[in-house]
Amino acid sequence: MYLIVGLGNPGRRYEGTRHNIGFAVIDSLAEYLGVKLDKVKFNGIFAKTSYKNEKIILLKPETYMNASGDSVQPFIDYFGIDIEKVIVIVDDIDIKFGTVRIRKNGSAGTHNGLKSIIQRTGNKDFPRVKVAVNQKPSYMDLADFVMSKFSASEQKIISKEVEIARDAILDIIEKDVDSSMNKYNPIIVE
């Protein structure tokens, strides 16, 4: 069983912001797989489905970004999910805009959602799908930047990035993380 977690903040005021790109990828996966996120458990909205004979849970934590682990850890425990089958989707300001980076594991870097999950699970050995949300302009505060919405020109690129992230996750489920990294990490959306 896979737990696919899109990180973001709940509520209308955060919809469409850079920090909520994880939610956008979960929505894309739900639409592709023909399911609705309509169940609530452990401070998260989720759906259960399957793909290529693998059971999947799609999850949007409703805990706010900095406490994402407070939703993710109970799902792992309750459903008995291996940490290597927890795929976390996050926004990334440090990678080139127009790219998606799949990683097998690693540190949280500056991402508070990843920090929370690593802290609560006591483990950093889960795959993550990092979606580039552009670099912060020097005149902007980081918090203001990640809470901002995409411009019209950025929206064209981010829409393609969401599709790439969705396809990369399905590739992980069908094949493995290495296959997905080799196939999707080199792609640059112009």
Side-chain angles (χ1 to χ4, degrees):
M1 177 179 280
Y2 281 87
L3 176 62
I4 304 172
V5 185
L7 298 190
N9 286 310
R12 285 191 189 276
R13 85 182 253 216
Y14 300 106
E15 282 178 15
T17 62
R18 296 169 200 276
H19 224 19
N20 274 33
I21 201 66
F23 281 10
V25 175
I26 290 291
D27 290 340
S28 180
L29 277 163
E31 183 179 344
Y32 183 86
L33 297 169
V35 295
K36 285 191 181 346
L37 280 85
D38 57 4
K39 295 177 177 54
V40 178
K41 192 184 219 71
F42 306 128
N43 295 311
I45 298 172
F46 74 103
K48 288 168 84 174
T49 187
S50 63
Y51 179 74
K52 302 288 182 182
N53 296 319
E54 282 282 355
K55 292 180 181 173
I56 299 170
I57 296 171
L58 302 176
L59 171 64
K60 290 184 189 176
E62 292 277 287
T63 54
Y64 289 96
M65 185 67 79
N66 296 355
S68 298
D70 294 348
S71 178
V72 173
Q73 180 60 48
F75 270 90
I76 291 171
D77 289 346
Y78 184 83
F79 290 102
I81 300 166
D82 294 332
I83 196 73
E84 297 84 20
K85 290 194 171 187
V86 177
I87 302 170
V88 180
I89 309 148
V90 297
D91 58 296
D92 196 304
I93 59 163
D94 296 318
I95 59 176
K96 180 176 172 47
F97 191 53
T99 63
V100 172
R101 290 288 177 266
I102 298 99
R103 296 283 180 254
K104 270 188 171 174
N105 53 38
S107 73
T110 59
H111 202 285
N112 290 328
L114 285 175
K115 283 180 188 173
S116 174
I117 293 170
I118 290 169
Q119 182 181 27
R120 280 300 308 271
T121 63
N123 202 315
K124 58 182 172 35
D125 294 329
F126 54 88
R128 62 273 328 251
V129 177
K130 299 177 171 194
V131 181
V133 294
N134 221 341
Q135 282 78 37
K136 175 187 82 65
S138 58
Y139 61 86
M140 257 184 119
D141 175 69
L142 179 60
D144 291 339
F145 178 70
V146 296
M147 295 303 175
S148 69
K149 297 191 185 230
F150 296 99
S151 68
S153 61
E154 286 176 317
Q155 192 60 53
K156 291 175 188 166
I157 292 172
I158 204 67
S159 296
K160 289 184 178 142
E161 283 186 46
V162 166
E163 287 176 19
I164 291 166
R166 177 199 68 206
D167 294 347
I169 291 162
L170 296 174
D171 196 60
I172 291 170
I173 294 166
E174 188 174 354
K175 296 175 184 154
D176 57 40
V177 177
D178 288 328
S179 168
S180 188
M181 287 169 64
N182 290 335
K183 185 173 181 180
Y184 293 98
N185 282 358
I187 296 173
I188 300 173
V189 178
E190 298 290 342

